[in-house]
Amino acid sequence: MQGFVTNTPDIDAEILRVLLSVEQTELVKPELAKPYRVLVSRADLQQRITPLSRYCRVGVQAWSVRKDGTANLGDAFDLCAAAGAALESAPSNSQIILSAEIQSGPSRVADEVTRIEYQYMTVLLEVAT
């Protein structure tokens, strides 16, 4: 780390920066033409750990959909695992993400509306605030 963060960082922007090294990443799942691959990220700031840092729970959805509209769960699993690895290695080159630990997943989930399955994981970050 090169120094202290002196203004409130944009946590979503930093997570997107990290995950874009893996695949197209969005904050809300877009309507995409099939076939497609996409990561969807959600960041929820949690309680303070120190006066300069707090927890941030990140949810990552990994979608891999074939041309016929069915899920490619093996590819989605690999995509989700790559996203987790990218977040775990982020502290080595980020002034905002101080530590990262996978809490759960990848887990198989079905979208309630489309019934298309995807993989989901949660990662606990410590972030500078």
Side-chain angles (χ1 to χ4, degrees):
M1 186 179 337
Q2 296 177 354
F4 291 109
V5 176
T6 58
N7 57 351
T8 303
D10 185 344
I11 303 300
D12 282 326
E14 183 66 6
I15 292 168
L16 287 175
R17 182 192 70 76
V18 171
L19 293 179
L20 280 170
S21 69
V22 175
E23 186 64 57
Q24 173 187 346
T25 306
E26 305 290 340
L27 297 177
V28 176
K29 185 178 177 285
E31 293 298 323
L32 299 169
K34 299 171 187 109
Y36 63 86
R37 294 177 81 209
V38 67
L39 292 169
V40 179
S41 169
R42 182 204 80 250
D44 298 316
L45 288 173
Q46 309 282 299
Q47 72 273 14
R48 288 203 171 275
I49 305 167
T50 72
L52 299 175
S53 67
R54 67 185 329 145
Y55 285 124
C56 179
R57 191 172 317 282
V58 178
V60 177
Q61 298 175 1
W63 294 80
S64 179
V65 178
R66 297 181 185 101
K67 191 171 186 167
D68 66 2
T70 61
N72 182 338
L73 288 173
D75 186 52
F77 182 93
D78 293 343
L79 183 56
C80 200
L87 286 169
E88 282 186 313
S89 66
S92 66
N93 64 7
S94 174
Q95 292 184 18
I96 297 171
I97 300 174
L98 306 175
S99 69
E101 174 184 324
I102 294 175
Q103 288 197 306
S104 68
S107 301
R108 186 174 172 174
V109 181
D111 182 90
E112 293 180 10
V113 176
T114 65
R115 305 307 304 158
I116 297 173
E117 293 180 301
Y118 59 93
Q119 296 284 343
Y120 180 81
M121 77 175 356
T122 58
V123 182
L124 185 63
L125 306 179
E126 180 182 353
V127 296
T129 55

